[in-house]
């Protein structure tokens, strides 16, 4: 990990399957039952703490403070067909979050990596290739949207609509669980 919190490893240090296998063989460890329950909710492929936090807020069940959105694939790689590579300007596209069957992506634009003109231009070119050439729909997510609970709720409703998820949480229980989850997973600063 770098100071900015982003992974620099090409290969993950572990996977959900490896963690699950370890937990199945572990004996007598404190917190083992909680760890076995938690591993059911993990998703492979996150490249940053904010991608992980965003996925948790979206996908965990209502009882745990999430919205129960179907799990995306994280850092999903799409090979650009050879016939489109010149126009796309690249051979591979990587999407922060993707629901491949729906051809839907969410792209988290952090303040750290998306604040200068070159980074904004690079993302615009990538998104144009994704949207126009490959036919994906993309929802852009910013820190401000995630940090503001009302803006986040609006964003989740858009994602729910795009994924076909009907939101059915009950208050005040859900709101308490959601704010507790936000407190655990979101940094207190940008």
């Amino acid at each position: 990990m770098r100071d900015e919190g982003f992974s620099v490893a090409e290969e993950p240090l572990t996977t959900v399957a490896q963690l699950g296998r370890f937990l199945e063989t572990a004996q007598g460890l404190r917190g083992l039952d909680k760890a076995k329950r938690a591993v059911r909710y993990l998703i492979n492929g996150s490249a940053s703490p904010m991608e992980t936090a965003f996925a948790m807020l979206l996908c965990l069940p209502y009882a745990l403070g999430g919205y129960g959105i179907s799990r995306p694939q994280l850092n999903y790689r799409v090979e650009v067909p050879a016939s489109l590579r010149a126009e796309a300007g690249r051979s591979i596209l990587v999407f922060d979050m993707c629901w491949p069957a729906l051809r839907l992506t969410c792209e988290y634009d952090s303040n750290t990596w998306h604040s200068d003109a070159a980074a904004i231009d690079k993302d615009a070119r990538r998104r144009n290739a994704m949207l126009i050439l490959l036919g994906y729909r993309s929802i852009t997510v910013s820190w401000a949207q995630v940090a503001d609970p009302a803006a986040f709720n609006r964003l989740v409703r858009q994602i729910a609509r795009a994924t076909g998820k009907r939101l059915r949480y009950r208050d005040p229980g859900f709101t308490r669980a959601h704010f507790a989850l936000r407190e655990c997973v979101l940094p207190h600063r940008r």
Side-chain angles (χ1 to χ4, degrees):
M1 298 294 284
R2 295 182 182 153
D3 291 339
E4 299 89 9
F6 288 84
S7 171
V8 294
E10 287 295 319
E11 293 297 319
L13 298 177
T14 192
T15 66
V16 173
Q18 289 170 327
L19 289 171
R21 284 192 298 273
F22 169 76
L23 293 173
E24 289 305 316
T25 62
Q27 303 261 334
L29 295 176
R30 185 174 176 203
L32 183 59
D33 290 337
K34 286 182 181 179
K36 285 181 179 179
R37 282 193 308 274
V39 80
R40 295 183 307 198
Y41 302 113
L42 299 178
I43 305 171
N44 285 317
S46 179
S48 75
M50 275 306 298
E51 285 179 13
T52 300
F54 182 54
M56 291 173 72
L57 290 166
L58 280 182
C59 302
L60 283 175
Y62 297 138
L64 297 177
Y67 282 85
I69 303 288
S70 63
R71 292 181 193 181
Q73 293 189 34
L74 301 181
N75 290 289
Y76 182 73
R77 297 172 61 88
V78 173
E79 186 171 339
V80 176
S83 61
L84 299 174
R85 287 181 185 162
E87 195 173 347
R90 57 186 59 208
S91 60
I92 299 284
L93 293 173
V94 180
F95 305 142
D96 293 342
M97 291 185 161
C98 186
W99 291 265
L102 301 173
R103 298 185 80 73
L104 174 70
T105 73
C106 278
E107 295 295 312
Y108 178 73
D109 286 354
S110 70
N111 293 341
T112 303
W113 298 104
H114 300 87
S115 59
D116 66 28
I120 291 168
D121 179 63
K122 180 180 176 188
D123 276 351
R125 290 171 190 255
R126 182 173 57 87
R127 287 197 180 118
N128 286 343
M130 170 176 64
L131 297 169
I132 296 166
L133 299 176
L134 300 179
Y136 281 82
R137 296 175 293 155
S138 182
I139 297 172
T140 300
V141 180
S142 68
W143 165 251
Q145 289 173 295
V146 176
D148 175 1
F152 187 75
N153 191 274
R154 287 188 298 274
L155 173 68
V156 169
R157 290 185 182 287
Q158 293 168 358
I159 295 168
R161 181 180 302 254
T163 61
K165 167 70 175 173
R166 188 169 172 196
L167 297 175
R168 297 180 180 208
Y169 53 83
R170 295 181 188 230
D171 273 327
F174 169 75
T175 298
R176 280 195 295 272
H178 182 70
F179 276 92
L181 178 60
R182 291 176 70 81
E183 185 66 27
C184 286
V185 301
L186 292 180
H188 296 285
R189 57 174 172 48
R190 289 183 181 188

